[in-house]
Amino acid sequence: MKASAFAYARATSLANALELLATHGDKAKVLSGGQSLIPAMNLRLVSPELIVDIGDLGELRGIAVKGETLVIGALTRHADLLKSSHIVKCAPLLAAAVAHVAHPAIRNRGTIGGSLAQADPASELPACMLALGATIVVRGKGGERRIAAEEFFTGIYETKLGPQDLLVAIEVPVASPGSAHFFQEFARRHGDYAIVGLAAQVMRQGDRFADLRLGFFAVGDTPVLAKAAAAMLTGAAITPELLAEASAALASELNPHEDQQATPAMRRHLARVLLARCLATLLNRPDLQTGAGV
Amino acid sequence: MTTPVSISLTVNGERVEAHVLPRLNLADFLREHLKLTGTHVGCEHGVCGACTVRVGGEIVRSCLMLAVQVNGAAIETIEGLSDSGEIADLQAAFRDRNALQCGFCTPGMLMAAQDLLRENGKPTREEIREHLSGNYCRCTGYHAIIDAVENAALARTEPQA
Ligand SMILES: Cc1cc2nc3c(=O)[nH]c(=O)nc-3n(C[C@H](O)[C@H](O)[C@H](O)COP(=O)(O)OP(=O)(O)OC[C@H]3O[C@@H](n4cnc5c(N)ncnc54)[C@H](O)[C@@H]3O)c2cc1C
């Protein structure tokens, strides 16, 4: 299908974009990479009266390291993340995850800001933001707001962004030496949205975890930081029994949906499989994967 | 405000000036306004890959860009790649290996395959599969396409006999 008619404004500056959004409110839609918005418009799921194209706002593009913080502009494309040496060095979890986001032609247009604003629960990058403890930087009528990723995602396709807000940047703590990550997802095909996925960022101490952040996605309305399971696994000697207990705790932290790809029970099962694989991989303990109580 | 916007761009090296409505997507602009019908419109939501073209040298879905967004850009379509001879060997490999039947997906497949071969002269079959993962083919079952791309890659990297 074709999109219904709309007016088009190419924002000339950040201030101009915010002004347009303030004037037109929820009749307007921000256009970033267009890889979620335009499909939705072509399918007539949304019919904005005005498109505010932010594609020219160079100040929203780019990746920089400022002290202990990696700052990623909202317009930074998936393809840019994939090629960036800053990302490989400072947030290797993101580098691993973005290879699973869609396909090359889509990664050439889609942006990190668009992906987070879209907040698809099956999307990879929002879960990474939880695992990395990122901060989302938002500009709106009242000035700048900085929102912890854990608070940012509020529902299916819903975030703390209001219709007059612009997501401008993402701040990610630079990975500390000795930290490690794990990323895996189940999908029918490489590049498809996940059936279930896990983005994890950890600190190891010997054969234990000093810190464990488990960001699951496609397991409910929002990405989920599995805190109960992580708490049980932090600081403790990891035995198959403990893993089984943590897996049970994990299953009750998730609230997966039924759709054409999987039932809630299957999604819970796959989440437990990913947890076992994550621990087995990061601790180099193949026994955890086979014995796993999954 | 939903009035036509004037755009200026190059398509396959030729300067194009046009007035377009904001709702017009790049695929329809190429097909309906410029009669470049090698760019195919399948799903119109980015899933099938038949409308893949190059914008500024990078492959994109032309159904997911607005014509107004390509003001000032350099577009290359399958007609451009074909006429310049850039993908003559890939086209021959597709033919030799029966990597097409109905041909609907072929322009997008060739676009994506050439994009891979420009970046990576010696892709593995897995890499070929991954690079073409966003392009649907409903006839061939894909294996012949992977074979054709692999053959073309090998031929390009072999020293000429
Ligand atoms: C075939 C296909 C497969 C895909 N597969 C995946 C996948 O496996 N995983 C995945 O994560 N994604 C996938 N995507 C989606 C892709 O990653 C999109 O790029 C992403 O979801 C949205 O980014 P965008 O820049 O294209 O945003 P747009 O489409 O431009 O915008 C998306 C939404 O966010 C709003 N928005 C955008 N930028 C801002 C901003 N700076 N401030 C405020 N609001 C903003 C828009 O108004 C709109 O509502 C796929 C897309 C397609 C077409």
Side-chain angles (χ1 to χ4, degrees):
Chain A
M1 283 197 337
K2 316 288 179 195
S4 54
F6 53 86
Y8 173 83
R10 186 178 275 265
T12 51
S13 66
L14 190 54
N16 177 229
L18 291 170
E19 213 175 276
L20 286 165
L21 293 177
T23 312
H24 296 275
D26 57 12
K27 297 200 168 67
K29 273 273 179 200
V30 174
L31 175 63
S32 185
Q35 303 301 291
S36 292
L37 180 59
I38 301 202
M41 287 168 59
N42 286 354
L43 293 167
R44 303 263 176 129
L45 298 172
V46 290
S47 305
E49 287 176 15
L50 173 71
I51 286 293
V52 178
D53 185 351
I54 59 171
D56 279 351
L57 307 184
E59 67 261 48
L60 299 188
R61 202 181 301 275
I63 303 166
V65 183
K66 294 185 182 154
E68 288 307 299
T69 308
L70 179 69
V71 184
I72 308 173
L75 280 182
T76 307
R77 302 172 309 159
H78 305 324
D80 302 324
L81 295 176
L82 205 55
K83 286 184 198 138
S84 160
S85 56
H86 283 319
I87 298 289
V88 171
K89 228 175 89 207
C90 304
L93 172 64
L94 261 188
V98 79
H100 293 267
V101 177
H103 315 283
I106 289 154
R107 293 198 291 260
N108 281 339
R109 297 286 311 159
T111 65
I112 188 167
S115 172
L116 303 183
Q118 180 71 14
D120 189 312
S123 199
E124 291 81 1
L125 302 182
C128 291
M129 296 300 122
L130 294 185
L132 293 168
T135 303
I136 317 292
V137 186
V138 176
R139 285 279 187 87
K141 259 172 88 181
E144 187 169 286
R145 274 147 44 226
R146 305 160 57 74
I147 306 170
E150 272 185 67
E151 263 120 58
F152 184 75
F153 302 101
T154 54
I156 303 180
Y157 306 128
E158 277 178 21
T159 67
K160 284 272 168 74
L161 289 171
Q164 309 192 330
D165 289 332
L166 211 54
L167 193 166
V168 292
I170 297 100
E171 295 176 354
V172 178
V174 169
S176 28
S179 67
H181 71 276
F182 174 89
F183 184 92
Q184 243 184 57
E185 69 178 36
F186 290 104
R188 293 288 296 257
R189 231 175 16 149
H190 193 120
D192 283 355
Y193 280 105
I195 299 170
V196 171
L198 169 58
Q201 183 73 17
V202 310
M203 281 298 288
R204 283 174 300 212
Q205 210 162 51
D207 56 0
R208 300 180 185 209
F209 292 109
D211 187 31
L212 190 60
R213 293 178 69 89
L214 303 167
F216 282 91
F217 53 102
V219 291
D221 289 356
T222 62
V224 173
L225 199 59
K227 287 186 179 165
M232 295 170 75
L233 296 164
T234 303
I238 313 280
T239 59
E241 293 70 33
L242 180 63
L243 172 56
E245 282 168 38
S247 285
L250 171 67
S252 55
E253 284 185 277
L254 310 178
N255 192 10
H257 295 287
E258 163 116 44
D259 61 17
Q260 69 274 35
Q261 299 217 74
T263 59
M266 177 173 163
R267 286 202 156 88
R268 284 202 171 86
H269 171 75
L270 293 177
R272 290 192 298 257
V273 171
L274 288 178
L275 177 62
R277 285 188 188 173
C278 170
L279 302 183
T281 306
L282 293 176
L283 296 177
N284 197 14
R285 289 265 309 275
D287 62 302
L288 293 174
Q289 204 172 316
T290 42
V294 289
Chain B
M1 284 228 288
T2 51
T3 46
V5 177
S6 61
I7 56 171
S8 163
L9 61 151
T10 70
V11 178
N12 300 326
E14 283 179 40
R15 179 114 239 125
V16 174
E17 318 272 341
H19 289 279
V20 295
L21 286 172
R23 66 183 288 211
L24 182 72
N25 69 46
L26 175 59
D28 287 339
F29 174 66
L30 293 169
R31 290 177 55 83
E32 312 291 337
H33 292 231
L34 305 184
K35 307 295 176 204
L36 293 171
T37 53
T39 298
H40 289 169
V41 174
C43 71
E44 300 192 301
H45 60 282
V47 175
C48 79
C51 70
T52 307
V53 301
R54 275 191 203 149
V55 174
E58 295 179 311
I59 55 167
V60 305
R61 297 282 196 256
S62 59
C63 75
L64 298 187
M65 275 192 89
L66 304 172
V68 289
Q69 285 183 287
V70 295
N71 184 36
I75 315 287
E76 293 162 280
T77 68
I78 190 66
E79 289 87 352
L81 269 65
S82 184
D83 290 351
S84 71
E86 179 182 338
I87 54 167
D89 57 341
L90 256 177
Q91 289 168 306
F94 267 57
R95 212 162 40 233
D96 293 346
R97 200 54 199 79
N98 270 333
L100 68 158
Q101 288 174 38
C102 85
F104 192 85
C105 72
T106 313
M109 283 290 177
L110 289 167
M111 277 283 169
Q114 173 65 359
D115 184 62
L116 171 66
L117 297 189
R118 287 210 297 182
E119 273 172 31
N120 177 355
K122 280 191 182 166
T124 63
R125 288 181 73 82
E126 207 38 55
E127 286 167 337
I128 297 171
R129 224 173 261 289
E130 139 66 0
H131 210 83
L132 301 182
S133 65
N135 292 68
Y136 277 9
C137 173
R138 301 283 81 150
C139 303
T140 64
Y142 300 100
H143 289 284
I145 296 176
I146 311 294
D147 292 345
V149 177
E150 189 180 35
N151 287 352
L154 287 174
R156 280 189 197 184
T157 49
E158 258 168 29
Q160 297 299 307

